[in-house]
Structure formats: structure tokens, C-alpha cells
Amino acid sequence: MPTHTYRASAFLEAARRQGIEVVTGTDRRQALADQAPGTTLAADFRDPEAATQTIVVFARARPLAAIIPTDDDTVTVAAMASAALSLPGNSVESALATLDKRKMREMLRSAGVLSPEFQSFSVDDDPVSLSSRIRYPCVIKPTCLSASRGVIRADDPERFVQAFRRVTAILRMPDVAERGREETRWVLVESFVPGREVALEGLIDRGHLRALSLFDKPDPLDGPFFEETIYLTPSRLPESVQQKIVQCASRGAAALGLTTGAVHAELRVNEAGPWLIEMASRSIGGLCSRALRFEPEASLEELILRQAVGRETDSFRREKPAAGVMMIPIPRAGILEEVRGLEQARAIAGVEDVVISIPPGQQVVPLPEGKRYLGFIFARASHPADVEAALREAHRRLELVFGAPAEGSSAVSWG
Ligand code: ADP
């Protein structure tokens, strides 16, 4: 797991509950490494070959049963190291395809999986001359980022030019540029696919994808930016549509060559059926997995760990109640000084928790440039509609206080 992961405590708690010993591999040496030898491992994920070698050497002294990537940043190393140690895992090629949106589109197209039309351009291309060759509306995006960072819709040539320049500026931001030249050289331009969006959380075992949960996204995601907000499960779409969504995701996973472990996919549904927008070979990001619970009592991460060490997972089902999470929208850029109304939000019937994940005093950045979640609201109720209402009501109770040194403080509330 990268040191900036949101996923550490969920996986470590799952391992504790399942009685599975864990070695935490991170990209920086951990402060407590000497206190508990053999439980941590530092490797440079930006150099997957070297990181693989580090893991292989480590595993000689302390054999590993499985290597699980928690985030996109560790998907490549996990695949390479699993292959080197002959452990079950996705092939390196398929792992790389989930990290490169251009490669993914090519593989989906070759396999006939419904997915947006696309063209790719160099960051050095002149958007003004490209703009007359594009069909609108389109979506412009980097090939190598996640969490909707740098994903922008454009409906006409003028907005295309602006969006293209904005995407290339994001690709030049220091934290992105350090990923390497090849990855940050390309801009993907896709046809905009209208429709309702869903997210599928699944587990692949020997090439067979099992849907663990399908989330509806009740807020329209029509752009120009695509900020994720509410996820609700179970889906309220008709059963027949849900089946088609799962089939589409299964065909997508097969097209990408994914055979093992967690997948998280985004799909859009319209008259033509389900379209695969994106598939990641890891579990859901942020703290969102807290919305999922399985019976007999287990978390998503427990199922992932169980599968990885060869224990059965088929008997687990998502619990009966409806559940949901809201990724708290970021209304503007600025220093977040305080979030007021937390207790009032937590007191709403059905709300289980409200977590702010950006510490006070830190900068928040909205999409398309931003990359951190502001926080999460979790709710459970008998029906998805009640979960949705609880999430919206809790959100209305929150008041974000931004520090703006030049003009004094300003607050944004939804009351
Ligand atoms: P990321 O991996 O950064 O999340 P995606 O390609 O999944 O990037 O895009 C993020 C979101 O943007 C999607 O969940 C969807 O809402 C929207 N989006 C992306 N591409 C398209 C498209 N071609 N048509 C319609 N919406 C899109």
C-alpha cells in the first residue's frame, strides 16, 4: 500500500479478524519497522522491477501466501511479484491495462465490449487544430490518473481547447509528472456516453467474476467535471438490467485478462445497454468500502483476504439492509479550517458516521485538479431511498469553513 492510502486500517483490521498474518509493503520505511521485524517491507513502487526484487528477497526468508494491491499505485508491483513468486495474481499485462486508459479502451474494443469511442493525442498536439476534428460532446482525460482527476467534458471546440489545456497542465503537475514520461504524454478523447452510472464491486476467482455489490449513483454525472458523490446499494435498477451490467463487467474483465482478486468497475447504462467506462484491478477507493458488510459477518477486505489465501467466499452475501456512502463534495479550493455540524449530521436517523479525511488547516482542491477526498458520510436503512435521504440530510447539516487570508473566513453550507 502506498503511504497515502485510505485502505490501510480496513485491510489490517480484516487480517486481524481472519487471523491472517500480514506484511505491510509501503513505499517508505515505517517508523516502527525495527520494533516488529518481518511485518513491514519498504519498496519503491515507482520502480516495479526493483520493488519486485525486494519482495522476492524478503519472501525467501519469510514465504508469502499472496500479494494484494490495495490501490492503483501497487497493482503493477503486486502482479510482478506474484508472477515472480508463482503466486496467484493477475498477469502483468492485465494489471498494466487497468492503469492505462488507452490500453484498456484498445483491449475492450478488440473484444467487442461496449465502451466509448476514443482517440488519443500527444500532450504536444495543438488543441486548436484538433478541435475541428472531434465529435461533440466528448470527454477529455489523462490516461494514467484515477478518481476522476483531469476528466472533463467538452461540448464544443472552444471548450475542447480549454479542457485539453487544463488536462495537459494537470499532467505537468509535479506529483503526476514524476510518474514517468511515457504515461503522462497522452490525452484520451472519448465520446461522451449519456446514461445512468453504476459502480460494481466484484471478486474474480480463476477468471470468474462474482458481483459482490452494485451501487447506484443517484446524482447525475453529466460533467463538465465528474465528482463522485452518493453510492447506494442495492441497486434500484431492474434485475434484468443488473444482470446485463454484470455480464458486461465480466466480459470486460475477460477482455483485460483479469483472473484474480478484487475489481471495481464504473458502467453507464442507456438504450444501447451497459457501457464499460472503467475497470480497476483493486477494491473500491477511499473509505467507501465501509458501506459494504457481508453475512456471515465480514467486511469486503475480509473476503478479499480470504480469497487470496484460498478460503471460501461463496457463502458470503451482502447484508439485507440498504447502505450508502456520500463522498462529501468539495465546493471550492481553499484552506479548510473547520467542518461544523458534525454532531448534527451524525444524529440523523440512519446515518452511521461522518468522517472528515482532510485535517483542519490543509488545502482542499476541487476537481478536475484535486485528488483527495474531503470526507465521507455513511448510512444504512431498510430501503435505498431512505439511505439516500439520510445522506442528503446529513450533508445539509455540514458547514465547511474556509480560511481566505486576504478576505477573511468564509463558510459554505447547504442548510
Ligand atoms: P477515473 O479512473 O479517473 O475515475 P474514469 O475514466 O472512470 O476516470 O472517469 C471518471 C468519471 O467520468 C466516470 O465515472 C464517468 O462518470 C465520467 N466519464 C468518464 N468517461 C466518460 C465517457 N466517455 N462518457 C461519459 N462519462 C464519462
Side-chain angles (χ1 to χ4, degrees), residues 313-386:
T313 56
D314 289 346
S315 63
F316 291 82
R317 295 276 174 276
R318 204 191 66 77
E319 63 180 356
K320 267 257 143 45
V325 52
M326 176 191 264
M327 290 160 252
I328 300 173
I330 297 182
R332 50 164 278 196
I335 304 290
L336 180 66
E337 292 204 325
E338 191 189 344
V339 179
R340 295 190 190 134
L342 284 170
E343 286 320 309
Q344 290 88 325
R346 288 187 185 119
I348 302 292
V351 169
E352 294 192 333
D353 202 3
V354 182
V355 179
I356 302 301
S357 48
I358 291 195
Q362 288 204 11
Q363 177 79 26
V364 295
V365 181
L367 285 174
E369 284 81 14
K371 58 172 176 172
R372 289 167 79 191
Y373 295 105
L374 196 155
F376 305 83
I377 308 173
F378 301 94
R380 272 189 173 70
S382 308
H383 300 286
D386 299 328

Side-chain angles (χ1 to χ4, degrees), residues 101 116 141 146-148 151 190-193 197 226 268 278:
K101 296 185 201 295
K141 58 173 86 166
S146 54
S148 306
V151 181
E190 299 181 344
S191 56
F192 173 79
V193 177
E197 188 158 316
F226 297 89
R268 286 197 163 216
E278 169 78 2

Side-chain angles (χ1 to χ4, degrees), residues 133-147:
R133 293 202 265 136
I134 305 293
R135 275 210 261 158
Y136 297 98
C138 70
V139 175
I140 302 146
K141 58 173 86 166
T143 60
C144 61
L145 299 183
S146 54

